[in-house]
Amino acid sequence: MTTSTPTSTLSAAWSLWALLLGVGLLMLGNGLQGSLLGVRAAEESFGNTVTGLVMSAYFVGFLAGSTLTPRKLRDVGHIRVFAALASITSIAILVHVMFIDPWVWAAMRLMTGFAYAGLYVVTESWLNGHASNHLRGRLLAFYMVISYLGMGGGQLLLNVADPSGILLFLIVSILMSLALVPILLSYTPQPDTSQPEAMNLLRLYRLSPLGTLGCLLTGIANGTVFGMGAVFAANHGLETHQIAAFMGAFILGGALFQWPLGKLSDKTDRQWVILIVAALATAFSLAGLLFDQGASHALTLLGVLLGGTTLTLYSLFLACANDVLTPQQTVSASSSLVLALGIGAILGPLSTGLLMDLLGSAGFLWDLALIHALIVVFGGYCLWRYPNQPSDTHGHYVAVPAGTASLGATWVEEAADDPVQLDLELMDADEESSLEEGPASAAEPGRS
């Protein structure tokens, strides 16, 4: 199915309002069930180790869902896959309350992780396939704002009823089911997957090194924040309501800064925006080491600043990677990027736990500082090695520096598969060369 490309962020978001509303409802339910299951497991005396294993099953399913979803997308389309996966999450949460058993809960968490990974693949490939490069950063930022607000609102729903009852489990199921209504009852244009292309992590890395490795590193950071953030706050002497404020500040910061940073990345080189944001996250993490134990207000402010940098990088990396892809590559690419995020999310709590055992609560901040310092170093390398990325806001050509001939050859080979596209690119090359004086510049046709 072919659709016209939206020319503004609002028109792009409005054309996908049903998808974005569905995502908001799903994240509302996901935010509630994460806290609900942790509290209920403690009440049922599962024990910390068993509870940790139960919750980690989510990430095992997450990895599986990110790799298996693209095949179904190609077979039945985005809407049907979205509906099926949302239905799985609605069923899984009800099984939790029917059988209070760690093994059953672990199996349901695995199913939930599988479904949510697939939902992310569906949503992100849908958005990337619908947005042009000059709107992609803002549209993905809009999506992340909705996601974080949904997760934050889900935390507040924990106060609606007693976690020891069944009402909160029913509310989660209702939210998951409601997410299907706008998708199924409205026309939402789907991206074209009639000619899908395989896009594994290695190939994606060759096309967008920073976008691919960045998703892995930001996955580590996100796993650190959501897996160990509350533990850090507790070890730092905060009380329960102060811990909630600290974690809420993280999500609020992520929501507040998504839009301006996404818009900025559309107006300038995304790599520079990523580099600056990662550098700020490193500085904020190191500054947090100076705070005294129990400094709740200072830590809450730190949460806003860290959330505004740490939690905004994923959408920037997504936009960076998808700038060099064709619509036929977005589904497989989204799967690979979600896979990288999931691998990082598993590594995050593990690395932070080790550092916190060695350094105390400060290990949390040291871990975040090291992760973002790596992003700064690699981002600087990419700026030097690949100074220009293809973007439809800056023309259709990218200068190929020394050592990147294989990258240019890949783009030429893919353009050659589409005779019309190749003809247009050759025509553009002739027009540009006629305007230049002196020897022709070394340039290779890229893809917008």
Side-chain angles (χ1 to χ4, degrees), residues 98-382:
M98 292 172 62
F99 303 98
I100 310 297
D101 178 82
W103 291 107
V104 175
W105 279 35
M108 293 303 102
R109 288 302 289 167
L110 188 147
M111 288 180 58
T112 302
F114 177 92
Y116 265 96
L119 288 166
Y120 292 147
V121 171
V122 172
T123 304
E124 289 165 16
S125 65
W126 209 330
L127 292 171
N128 281 311
H130 196 66
S132 57
N133 288 353
H134 76 282
L135 291 177
R136 180 168 287 116
R138 280 166 282 183
L139 188 58
L140 286 172
F142 198 76
Y143 155 65
M144 295 303 294
V145 168
I146 291 174
S147 297
Y148 286 136
L149 290 178
M151 290 179 64
Q155 309 295 324
L156 300 178
L157 289 178
L158 192 63
N159 299 316
V160 169
D162 186 353
S164 62
I166 67 170
L167 181 57
L168 290 178
F169 290 87
L170 296 177
I171 290 176
V172 173
S173 181
I174 290 170
L175 289 170
M176 302 301 186
S177 299
L178 279 176
L180 302 177
V181 176
I183 290 287
L184 297 178
L185 294 184
S186 65
Y187 170 71
T188 304
Q190 300 182 73
D192 180 18
T193 57
S194 58
Q195 296 178 333
E197 290 185 35
M199 185 62 60
N200 57 34
L201 277 173
L202 180 59
R203 187 183 180 205
L204 190 56
Y205 176 82
R206 289 171 178 166
L207 289 175
S208 178
L210 183 59
T212 306
L213 186 62
C215 280
L216 174 66
L217 292 174
T218 201
I220 298 175
N222 287 0
T224 295
V225 170
F226 292 111
M228 302 299 291
V231 178
F232 159 76
N235 291 346
H236 216 69
L238 300 191
E239 299 179 0
T240 302
H241 68 281
Q242 294 171 331
I243 295 172
F246 174 72
M247 292 303 297
F250 251 105
I251 297 174
L252 176 63
L256 287 176
F257 287 90
Q258 287 286 346
W259 175 260
L261 289 177
K263 185 174 183 179
L264 179 63
S265 77
D266 286 335
K267 299 293 186 180
T268 185
D269 190 339
R270 293 195 212 279
Q271 292 184 116
W272 272 110
V273 177
I274 289 170
L275 193 69
I276 293 170
V277 172
L280 288 173
T282 304
F284 293 147
S285 300
L286 294 175
L289 296 171
L290 304 176
F291 294 164
D292 296 329
Q293 289 278 73
S296 62
H297 295 297
L299 283 177
T300 299
L301 176 60
L302 178 67
V304 173
L305 296 175
L306 280 176
T309 49
T310 298
L311 299 183
T312 53
L313 281 170
Y314 179 57
S315 60
L316 295 176
F317 286 129
L318 281 178
C320 182
N322 279 278
D323 280 344
V324 298
L325 301 176
T326 65
Q328 290 76 24
Q329 294 170 332
T330 55
V331 172
S332 295
S334 294
S335 171
S336 295
L337 293 173
V338 169
L339 176 63
L341 180 74
I343 294 172
I346 294 175
L347 297 176
L350 296 175
S351 62
T352 308
L354 291 174
L355 283 178
M356 290 180 72
D357 284 340
L358 292 173
L359 305 174
S361 62
F364 173 82
L365 294 172
W366 276 113
D367 196 50
L368 288 179
L370 289 171
I371 292 166
H372 292 97
L374 283 174
I375 294 176
V376 171
V377 171
F378 190 70
Y381 168 77
C382 289

